[in-house]
Amino acid sequence: MKLKPVCDSASEGVHDAIICEFIDQGVEVGTFGTWHVICVDLLTDECDVKGQPLHLKMRYNDSRNPNSKLYVFLTGVNETYGNPFDLTARDFDSDKFINAHIQISVSHRYDYRKKSTYANIDSVIVGNRPLTDLQPESQAILTRTLAGLCLKCGRNPIVAEWQCCIDCHRERQRQQRETHDRMVNLSPHDEFTCQECQYTGIGFIHEAGLQPDVLTCPKCGGRSWDGEAS
């Protein structure tokens, strides 16, 4: 799934999501005074422009007032699971909802001060589908990320440095070696003229095994057939 270009966050509409973390960001001073910021980190069923799992982070005031946005959000999550918790209890811990699978309605809003568009959770949709009923692509993104598995194969632990597991990394290296093996430098005595930029000289890359063989210009990167280069 690809994101809409208008926003670098979740696209508008209904999304399956999993609550990953509640982050206490401390007290901040805003336009209307001080507020205690709680950031809710959700893993959505979309990928970002780099193909990585997309996280949506919402910042709320830490308030249990029935009219507060955080309370409304927690109420929707609680109702999704049959109201197992008393949200008004002094000992209630929002971390109980970590790994909860919910459905959210997302819309885009424009911040005139920052001159940017951001994603906002309008509501939690009660009566969500179970995780197994998700589309295969969404299910793979959510389950593999939560389990720390490779997004490509889903079999082995992911290595952050490679953004994949060791087996997929080795396979990628093998494919790169095969590609390199097919690229053979021509003799220093072989001169050709590029059909694109008219460069004449040596250093053309010869892609062996293609019918007809292809020459790549070292100057502009243009490609031409062996029979067309002169």
Side-chain angles (χ1 to χ4, degrees):
M1 289 173 285
K2 300 298 183 182
L3 299 181
K4 296 183 179 180
V6 69
C7 186
D8 59 358
S9 188
S11 60
E12 292 185 293
V14 176
H15 292 280
D16 289 280
I18 287 180
I19 300 176
C20 298
E21 190 176 8
F22 290 88
I23 307 170
D24 187 342
Q25 296 185 330
V27 177
E28 294 185 7
V29 179
T31 306
F32 303 101
T34 60
W35 60 306
H36 192 165
V37 182
I38 297 296
C39 178
V40 184
D41 182 7
L42 299 105
L43 175 68
T44 70
D45 56 2
E46 286 191 310
C47 290
D48 61 18
V49 292
K50 296 181 180 179
Q52 298 303 312
L54 178 67
H55 285 256
L56 175 59
K57 295 184 178 181
M58 295 295 299
R59 285 159 52 90
Y60 296 108
N61 183 26
D62 186 15
S63 171
R64 299 299 167 81
N65 185 296
N67 295 323
S68 70
K69 293 183 179 180
L70 177 60
Y71 186 87
V72 172
F73 173 81
L74 294 176
T75 298
V77 179
N78 201 35
E79 289 181 2
T80 296
Y81 286 89
N83 294 310
F85 303 111
D86 179 7
L87 302 183
T88 61
R90 285 181 170 272
D91 59 348
F92 172 74
D93 187 354
S94 57
D95 284 352
K96 294 180 182 294
F97 288 141
I98 290 179
N99 290 336
H101 167 225
I102 59 177
Q103 280 190 324
I104 54 177
S105 176
V106 176
S107 66
H108 286 175
R109 298 184 181 181
Y110 186 75
D111 189 328
Y112 289 93
R113 291 179 299 175
K114 297 181 180 179
K115 296 183 178 180
S116 62
T117 303
Y118 65 94
N120 181 74
I121 296 178
D122 293 331
S123 62
V124 175
I125 301 176
V126 180
N128 67 297
R129 303 190 306 266
L131 187 62
T132 53
D133 288 345
L134 294 180
Q135 294 296 321
E137 183 180 0
S138 301
Q139 183 179 347
I141 292 174
L142 294 170
T143 56
R144 291 178 184 180
T145 301
L146 285 174
L149 298 178
C150 175
L151 295 179
K152 293 184 178 180
C153 68
R155 295 189 301 269
N156 305 313
I158 190 171
V159 180
E161 179 183 358
W162 302 327
Q163 294 298 316
C164 62
C165 68
I166 188 170
D167 288 347
C168 290
H169 179 65
R170 288 172 176 170
E171 173 63 19
R172 184 166 56 194
Q173 287 183 319
R174 184 190 66 79
Q175 294 176 357
Q176 290 174 347
R177 286 195 298 268
E178 285 186 353
T179 301
H180 180 268
D181 290 344
R182 290 197 300 267
M183 307 297 286
V184 181
N185 283 321
L186 297 175
S187 165
H189 303 289
D190 293 328
E191 291 189 357
F192 292 91
T193 298
C194 175
Q195 301 298 311
E196 298 292 334
C197 67
Q198 304 304 315
Y199 165 77
T200 299
I202 62 175
F204 279 77
I205 302 299
H206 176 223
E207 297 184 46
L210 301 177
Q211 297 295 328
D213 290 348
V214 174
L215 301 175
T216 301
C217 176
K219 192 170 184 179
C220 72
R223 308 176 77 202
S224 57
W225 305 117
D226 192 0
E228 297 177 356
S230 59

